[in-house]
Amino acid sequence: MSMNLTRITGMYSGFDTDQLVKDLIKAESIKVDKIKQDKIYTEWQQEAYRDIINEIRAFKDEYFSYTKPETNFRSTSSFVGYEANMKDESNNYYLDVGVTSASVTGNYTITDITLSESAIKQGNNTFLLGNSDLDKTLEELGYVDGVEFTIEATNAAGETKSDTIALTKDKKLRDVLSEVNSRDLDVEMYYDEIKNSVIIKTDDTGSTASLSNIKDTGGAGDLIADLGLVIDKGIDAPITGVDAKVKITDDSGASKEVSSSNNSVTVNGVTLDLKQNLTGGNIEFSVSSNADGIVDNIKGFVNKYNELIEKINTELTEKKYRDFKPLTEDQKKELTEDEVKKWEEKAKSGLLKNDSILGSMLRNMRSILYDSVDGMALYDIGITTSSDYKDKGKLIIDEEKLKKAIQDKPNQVANLFSKEDEGLANKLYDVIEDNISTRTDSYGRKGLLLEKAGIEGDRTAEDNLLSDKIKGYEDRITELLQDLNDKENYYYTMFAKMEKALAKMNSQSSFFMGQM
């Protein structure tokens, strides 16, 4: 019978071999526990960084995103200090009224609306018998040599385009329409069943859009002439579109006719999107100040800013309990659940205390808010920094002063936040992007906080300094555990050899005793 003596305990020696081995490798076990604690602490730090990153992202998404124009402080869209009200809401059938930061308040009356139109050439022939002719081949329609014709048109931008269309006799009349529509001519050719005519019209509207030359080339059948669509550049005047026109009268009784190549016109900073012609009667609307809406927007911005810097300041100044290390699994087993919770509260305190990245970001944000833009600063509109040192840079608002500034100087208030490059919101956005941008710069780097701790949903989730550090701890733990296992096996082997030797000695002693 064979026996594996590798881990025979004190059968002959009477030693507690397990305890002896445990004591012998205790120093090495402590090393493993220390690195496990460092790993856990680094994981906690990473979680704390990511919580802050998410708070910053939420602030950025709410107040610096073009997907939210009503609260995007980088754009003047958040500072439109006016609202338009239609006297009779049913008149929305004729037009929509939009306001901008340049709108002039007052009462307005619309008396005439003419919608813009395309340049249109309608066939005046009796050639077509009906819709069924569209599916006849050109040969069936009498064009045994096919057709060839030119179209020349000008779009609203004044760009003239010309092309020649040539189709063989086996093509259908419907193919002629499709071919024209596929060319880069900015025109549409279609059959109107009610009018029983083929029509060509420009895609663009307005007086600059025109059809100036439509005719057969003479190389094949005279389809264009037969359809009554000829415009001879040398003989006929071009057919032009029609500009949109609207007549508007203000409080003083002054009137103006405003025109546009499309159905949107702007006057006194008010945008009128025209929808139907108006030839009789009138439409009344007013433009008034909406300072309360902007005040509410700025209050929301300030509140979120204060919440963010309070969160960052808390992390930077939270007390650190250096004697409270992360608990090992063995240590947790010796404590109650409540004791573990209280211990870890202290162990997790001060994870980001005096963090240089967060500290620098906070200083830069606070510094920006002291800047002025075109001679106006936050204190000019009733926003100042709290004098209570405990608030650590929080902003406070004098609502009456803010409202008056918006009413008196709406454009300057808008510029203070949204002016390109110089506006406070754009500068704050740049600081935030320096720290949490997911875009890679010319050096291959992303935001500082993402490079440090990463964020889910981005390649930095795994590729960041703290994840690399955690991976290093994991590798070191694996190495130490392997060394620990090797030493443990070594000691058990040595004790087993000792037990084996003692067994042999006992056997020999028993033999000699038996000879006496």
Side-chain angles (χ1 to χ4, degrees), residues 34 37 44 321-327 331 343 347:
K34 172 65 170 63
Q37 289 174 316
W44 287 349
Y321 298 90
R322 299 188 181 279
D323 293 335
F324 287 79
K325 305 292 184 184
L327 295 169
Q331 289 171 330
W343 181 283

Side-chain angles (χ1 to χ4, degrees), residues 429-445:
Y429 175 81
D430 289 341
V431 170
I432 288 172
E433 283 293 275
D434 286 343
N435 288 275
I436 67 166
S437 175
T438 56
R439 294 191 297 271
T440 303
D441 65 15
S442 58
Y443 299 99
R445 295 191 295 260

Side-chain angles (χ1 to χ4, degrees), residues 415-428:
N415 278 342
L416 176 60
F417 289 96
S418 63
K419 187 174 183 179
E420 188 174 0
D421 297 330
E422 300 177 39
L424 304 186
N426 284 307
K427 288 182 178 180
L428 284 175

Side-chain angles (χ1 to χ4, degrees), residues 77-310:
S77 60
S78 293
F79 303 95
V80 176
Y82 308 97
E83 60 183 1
N85 292 291
M86 198 78 74
K87 185 175 181 180
D88 182 349
E89 291 297 328
S90 67
N91 285 325
N92 287 323
Y93 171 78
Y94 291 98
L95 80 165
D96 289 327
V97 181
V99 291
T100 68
S101 58
S103 295
V104 177
T105 59
N107 298 308
Y108 297 91
T109 302
I110 303 291
T111 50
D112 290 293
I113 297 176
T114 300
L115 297 183
S116 64
E117 296 179 8
S118 302
I120 298 176
K121 176 63 176 177
Q122 178 183 325
N124 59 359
N125 66 92
T126 57
F127 172 73
L128 289 174
L129 300 178
N131 191 46
S132 60
D133 285 334
L134 294 177
D135 292 312
K136 291 180 180 179
T137 66
L138 294 175
E139 184 175 23
E140 289 173 329
L141 292 170
Y143 304 101
V144 294
D145 296 323
V147 299
E148 186 174 306
F149 57 93
T150 61
I151 295 180
E152 183 175 277
T154 303
N155 59 26
E159 180 184 9
T160 299
K161 299 180 179 181
S162 178
D163 204 348
T164 299
I165 290 87
L167 293 172
T168 55
K169 63 183 180 180
D170 59 314
K171 296 297 182 181
K172 297 177 181 179
L173 182 54
R174 193 182 300 277
D175 296 330
V176 176
L177 309 186
S178 297
E179 184 64 26
V180 170
N181 293 333
S182 69
R183 302 293 179 96
D184 181 23
L185 288 166
D186 297 329
V187 301
E188 180 185 4
M189 187 177 190
Y190 62 95
Y191 170 70
D192 187 310
E193 188 172 357
I194 295 175
K195 296 180 177 66
N196 192 30
S197 294
V198 173
I199 295 172
I200 298 177
K201 74 170 187 175
T202 57
D203 292 338
D204 290 347
T205 59
S207 59
T208 55
S210 68
L211 295 168
S212 52
N213 191 34
I214 306 174
K215 62 181 181 177
D216 301 299
T217 64
D222 298 335
L223 176 66
I224 293 301
D226 291 338
L227 291 173
L229 293 171
V230 171
I231 301 175
D232 191 327
K233 191 172 185 178
I235 301 173
D236 303 317
I239 296 175
T240 61
V242 175
D243 285 333
K245 294 179 181 179
V246 58
K247 185 176 181 181
I248 185 168
T249 304
D250 65 13
D251 286 333
S252 70
S255 297
K256 182 178 183 180
E257 185 176 78
V258 187
S259 62
S260 171
S261 62
N262 55 42
N263 289 316
S264 180
V265 300
T266 300
V267 57
N268 274 5
V270 179
T271 300
L272 306 176
D273 291 321
L274 311 177
K275 298 190 287 188
Q276 292 292 331
N277 289 320
L278 177 69
T279 56
N282 56 63
I283 297 170
E284 297 179 9
F285 69 90
S286 62
V287 176
S288 57
S289 173
N290 184 31
D292 289 338
I294 300 177
V295 169
D296 289 341
N297 253 359
I298 293 176
K299 283 171 62 179
F301 172 83
V302 168
N303 288 338
K304 288 296 182 182
Y305 171 82
N306 286 342
E307 289 174 11
L308 179 61
I309 67 166
E310 180 179 22

Side-chain angles (χ1 to χ4, degrees), residues 400-419:
E400 289 303 314
K401 188 174 181 180
L402 175 60
K403 186 173 181 178
K404 188 173 188 310
I406 293 168
Q407 290 171 332
D408 294 346
K409 300 178 180 179
N411 292 334
Q412 279 187 267
V413 174
N415 278 342
L416 176 60
F417 289 96
S418 63
K419 187 174 183 179

